[in-house]
Amino acid sequence: MTLRLNTLLYNILAVTSLAAQTDTTDVAEKEAALQGVTVTSRQSVRRVAGAVNGSLITQQELFRAACCNLGESFSTNPSVDVSYADAATGAKQIKLLGLSGTYVQLMGETLPDFRGAALPFALDYVPGPWMKSIQVSKGTSTVKNGPESITGQINIEYKKPDDAEQLNANVYGDTKSRFEANFDGNLHLSDRLSTVLLLHGENDWGSHDDNGDGFMDKPNRRQVNVMNRWKLTTGRYLMHAGVQLLSEKREGGQSAHHPSPDTHHPYAISLTTNRYAAYMKHAFIFNPEKNSNLALMANAAIHRTEGHYGHKALDIDQRNVYAQLMYETDMAPHHSMSVGGNLQYDDAGSERETTAGAYIQYTYNLNERVIAMAGVRADHSTAFGWYVTPRLHLKWMPADLLTLRATAGRGFRTVHPLAEMHYLLASGRTLVSSGMQQEAAWNFGLSGALNIPLLGQTLRLNAEYYYTTFQHQAVVDYESDPATIRVSPLDGRSYSHTLQVDASYPLFKGFTMTAAYRMNDVRQTIGGQLMERPLTSKYKGLVTASYKTPTEIWQFDATLQLNGGGRVVGSERFKAYEQLSAQITREFRYFSVYVGGENLTNFRQSDPIRNAMTPFDQAFESTLVWGPVHGRMLYAGLRLHLEKF
């Protein structure tokens, strides 16, 4: 009974929204020792087994590249793209299903995180060595965590206080003058109480200017990031809690020896960010036989960014609070239900919104062969009133080798243009927003996974199609007025079609290849005309290869990406380009050493910053970025791991 309770408690506060079970035993995520036997799995990426279409990226996969932060964790992933949002500040954005990351709900262990002002640089706020895994789900996901997931969810699982006692350290440096160090260690204070401390320090310096336009190719950045997490287990009660403190200074723009001729002073960007965050989770078990439990979860953050883009000042002081109460139970064999409520408070100074909602979700699960998960939630916003969010996920597994899924659902999100897109201030144009409505979209998807026995191994094939259509959307318009970047409500149609196929096969022992191809058709109405969404590639191809020697002391990884062309603005287009990355890892008893390179093809966008010599003029533009902004980069690092200190 004790083992059952502990397992149930763990599951409640683990992946509640993204299907916690996987096709194989997830030992990379959770060490399960039964009767002294520890089972291990070598899969680094695997599809989840629930109704929601998604994949689990384990730490093994993250170690295949430098993976210094969340934004650098998807280089080997065929579904998620990460690109620069502008060439002056280093802001990055995720793209999923052909749409920008604002439609992807970022989660920290199933709690919504990094909202509003945190979005432009959120991918830099999660150090790679802190993560145990990343769960990526596509479509609108469940109704449990609010209405904001439109194209998917990305849930980050951090290292846990109750992991086996250990010390880990990581140091990294590259040829672009970046150095970082990470440390984490956990301590079991008793059988019931444990804690983990995670530390991160980073320093980017130098004035790298590969294309000679007088602007730094990437900003100088100094960051200190600290997280402390706790876990307490007593009988039928479990508590998780933690705090995070982050301080970052980001400086970019012209080099000091390249002053602007119109002012005789360099165009400079300087942003200082301080973020304070905390979370807590409580779980109470009522009836272990029926999995009846009550969970209360909450997080809060204070995020302040101040500085300037040239002569444009920025001062954002934002506060977010989220709370969720959830009750789950098995009503009968194969039938379960979840009910609960959420409260979200956002305060960005002049923009305040409180959203309260409730949901009910029913799941029918016939031995993982047939799963139907239907949910609906109703929310009330102090800014937009009432709205209803229905979602449905279906899974059918007619044979062990074939899994079919279907999904349909709606999503809503509130737009805070200045907070979420303040990197647009780097443009010489005036940023104007007006008439903001709450964004609303429907998402529909079909997917099929096929596992074919072939020559003693398994060929894994996957195909999926998603269609997203917007009723309301905030459109970033570069084209109607050359003097402004206008963020305004959609007036017309906006949609995305995405079709992806991928395959993975171990050609021989220790060597696995993955190939993927995705087509995007993303269009929106801009200035009364339906056209291709700017800065979006029409397709993407990806091939990865990984080989670990029989002794498991050497590992070789390589990834080749082919990014299709697309539209910039007006009739201007960009062509397809390729990128190659590779890494070699040498394992020792207590540490490993890795060396590698990114963008080894040395491709970079020729004009990431336009009219660089007149940065204070309205013709200056640094936000029309569609490709890499800096060239070849080589790196090296060391990972130290000590158990049972």
Side-chain angles (χ1 to χ4, degrees):
M1 178 64 71
T2 301
L3 179 60
R4 180 184 178 89
L5 281 173
N6 288 340
T7 301
L8 183 57
L9 286 165
Y10 183 93
N11 288 338
I12 292 169
L13 297 185
V15 189
T16 59
S17 65
L18 295 179
Q21 298 176 351
T22 57
D23 291 327
T24 57
T25 305
D26 182 10
V27 186
E29 181 64 22
K30 179 176 59 175
E31 293 186 1
L34 301 177
Q35 298 179 350
V37 178
T38 301
V39 183
T40 60
S41 170
R42 294 186 184 179
Q43 283 185 283
S44 58
V45 178
R46 47 191 175 271
R47 309 203 70 77
V48 295
V52 178
N53 181 30
S55 59
L56 178 70
I57 304 172
T58 70
Q59 199 170 65
Q60 285 178 289
E61 181 72 10
L62 297 176
F63 282 174
R64 290 180 57 188
C67 186
C68 296
N69 54 50
L70 180 62
E72 297 166 348
S73 301
F74 302 103
S75 60
T76 62
N77 189 284
S79 299
V80 181
D81 297 327
V82 178
S83 60
Y84 282 98
D86 79 277
T89 68
K92 296 179 181 178
Q93 62 176 335
I94 285 175
K95 288 187 178 180
L96 185 63
L97 306 186
L99 294 168
S100 65
T102 55
Y103 305 115
V104 181
Q105 190 175 29
L106 280 178
M107 313 277 287
E109 298 193 335
T110 73
L111 287 171
D113 205 355
F114 301 117
R115 301 168 55 80
L119 273 178
F121 306 116
L123 301 182
D124 293 331
Y125 296 159
V126 183
W130 290 11
M131 298 185 290
K132 289 195 70 175
S133 67
I134 304 171
Q135 294 126 355
V136 180
S137 70
K138 297 181 180 181
T140 53
S141 193
T142 78
V143 295
K144 293 181 181 180
N145 301 111
E148 294 187 346
S149 170
I150 293 177
T151 59
Q153 286 182 342
I154 292 179
N155 184 64
I156 306 157
E157 288 291 320
Y158 295 98
K159 292 181 176 179
K160 305 292 191 291
D162 58 333
D163 288 340
E165 288 189 337
Q166 55 191 286
L167 282 171
N168 297 285
N170 172 273
V171 291
Y172 165 95
D174 64 34
T175 55
K176 298 297 182 181
S177 305
R178 174 179 176 182
F179 175 81
E180 70 169 58
N182 299 273
F183 166 87
D184 65 83
N186 65 338
L187 184 64
H188 296 183
L189 301 174
S190 69
D191 293 340
R192 297 180 175 182
L193 183 64
S194 55
T195 184
V196 61
L197 178 66
L198 303 108
L199 305 174
H200 169 82
E202 179 180 349
N203 189 16
D204 286 315
W205 70 95
S207 300
H208 296 276
D209 182 13
D210 291 346
N211 60 4
D213 63 1
F215 274 75
M216 292 186 287
D217 295 332
K218 64 183 185 66
N220 293 331
R221 186 159 56 94
R222 296 180 297 278
Q223 185 187 111
V224 176
N225 203 340
V226 181
M227 181 185 286
N228 183 215
R229 314 184 68 214
W230 292 79
K231 179 182 177 181
L232 173 66
T233 305
T234 60
R236 296 189 177 186
Y237 167 73
L238 180 81
M239 183 271 291
H240 278 192
V243 295
Q244 181 180 9
L245 307 176
L246 180 146
S247 178
E248 182 185 83
K249 178 73 171 181
R250 186 178 296 253
E251 297 176 321
Q254 283 180 307
S255 304
H257 56 281
H258 281 90
S260 175
D262 53 350
T263 64
H264 304 289
H265 295 287
Y267 176 92
I269 296 174
S270 179
L271 300 172
T272 300
T273 296
N274 291 289
R275 179 178 175 85
Y276 313 93
Y279 79 95
M280 65 174 183
K281 299 181 179 182
H282 306 271
F284 306 88
I285 302 299
F286 299 130
N287 188 337
E289 301 303 321
K290 292 188 175 182
N291 294 320
S292 299
N293 60 82
L294 181 71
L296 173 64
M297 300 177 281
N299 65 0
I302 299 174
H303 187 104
R304 181 172 178 81
T305 297
E306 56 184 339
H308 59 86
Y309 291 85
H311 292 161
K312 301 174 184 176
L314 178 71
D315 189 351
I316 299 176
D317 190 358
Q318 179 175 294
R319 290 164 171 78
N320 306 106
V321 178
Y322 174 85
Q324 178 180 3
L325 183 65
M326 175 176 63
Y327 175 75
E328 294 183 325
T329 187
D330 294 341
M331 300 179 294
H334 312 304
H335 302 269
S336 62
M337 180 183 66
S338 175
V339 296
N342 314 77
L343 179 68
Q344 177 73 58
Y345 172 71
D346 296 307
D347 180 357
S350 60
E351 298 178 344
R352 292 185 177 89
E353 181 185 21
T354 301
T355 303
Y359 71 86
I360 181 170
Q361 182 169 282
Y362 163 77
T363 303
Y364 173 76
N365 188 333
L366 182 60
N367 304 319
E368 296 295 329
R369 294 285 182 178
V370 177
I371 302 178
M373 185 171 70
V376 63
R377 62 176 299 119
D379 292 271
H380 181 270
S381 161
T382 54
F384 300 101
W386 285 98
Y387 50 96
V388 177
T389 307
R391 293 175 183 177
L392 174 67
H393 298 271
L394 302 173
K395 173 190 171 182
W396 180 37
M397 191 174 177
D400 290 341
L401 55 78
L402 178 63
T403 302
L404 302 173
R405 289 181 173 90
T407 177
R410 200 178 190 194
F412 295 85
R413 68 176 300 272
T414 298
V415 185
H416 302 284
L418 180 60
E420 297 175 359
M421 300 180 238
H422 62 73
Y423 58 85
L424 293 176
L425 293 174
S427 170
R429 305 195 228 184
T430 303
L431 177 61
V432 177
S433 64
S434 61
M436 286 298 99
Q437 297 176 310
Q438 190 177 42
E439 293 188 296
W442 284 92
N443 181 280
F444 306 91
L446 295 170
S447 65
L450 187 62
N451 298 327
I452 304 175
L454 180 64
L455 301 177
Q457 302 291 342
T458 301
L459 173 63
R460 302 179 185 276
L461 301 175
N462 181 69
E464 55 194 33
Y465 164 75
Y466 283 89
Y467 171 61
T468 307
T469 178
F470 286 86
Q471 287 77 52
H472 303 290
Q473 186 181 26
V475 176
V476 180
D477 182 0
Y478 288 90
E479 305 177 61
S480 298
D481 183 354
T484 65
I485 299 178
R486 184 172 297 276
V487 184
S488 57
L490 174 69
D491 184 12
R493 300 177 62 199
S494 178
Y495 62 81
S496 167
H497 295 277
T498 302
L499 176 65
Q500 177 176 312
V501 293
D502 55 79
S504 178
Y505 184 71
L507 295 178
F508 52 86
K509 186 176 181 179
F511 184 84
T512 300
M513 288 196 68
T514 298
Y517 184 79
R518 185 179 71 245
M519 297 175 58
N520 299 318
D521 181 16
V522 187
R523 299 177 184 270
Q524 62 183 184
T525 303
I526 301 175
Q529 182 179 353
L530 183 65
M531 59 183 69
E532 292 179 45
R533 185 182 175 103
L535 311 176
T536 302
S537 293
K538 294 283 289 182
Y539 62 87
K540 178 181 179 178
L542 178 126
V543 178
T544 70
S546 180
Y547 174 64
K548 180 172 282 191
T549 60
T551 58
E552 298 192 353
I553 63 173
W554 288 95
Q555 181 166 333
F556 304 87
D557 294 284
T559 300
L560 176 65
Q561 294 185 27
L562 177 62
N563 300 278
R567 191 176 73 90
V568 185
V569 290
S571 59
E572 181 184 353
R573 304 189 66 83
F574 63 92
K575 296 181 179 180
Y577 63 93
E578 67 287 333
Q579 286 184 283
L580 174 67
S581 61
Q583 179 177 286
I584 301 173
T585 305
R586 173 62 161 91
E587 298 284 349
F588 297 89
R589 183 174 182 180
Y590 297 114
F591 66 95
S592 62
V593 178
Y594 59 95
V595 295
E598 296 178 357
N599 194 14
L600 296 176
T601 53
N602 204 33
F603 178 86
R604 59 181 179 265
Q605 184 176 337
S606 60
D607 58 345
I609 297 180
R610 305 186 178 195
N611 298 296
M613 294 303 295
T614 55
F616 296 98
D617 186 81
Q618 70 177 32
F620 173 77
E621 187 58 75
S622 65
T623 64
L624 296 177
V625 179
W626 49 263
V629 297
H630 55 79
R632 183 185 299 111
M633 184 270 287
L634 305 178
Y635 63 84
L638 181 146
R639 300 184 182 104
L640 174 68
H641 176 76
L642 298 176
E643 295 183 353
K644 199 65 179 178
F645 59 93

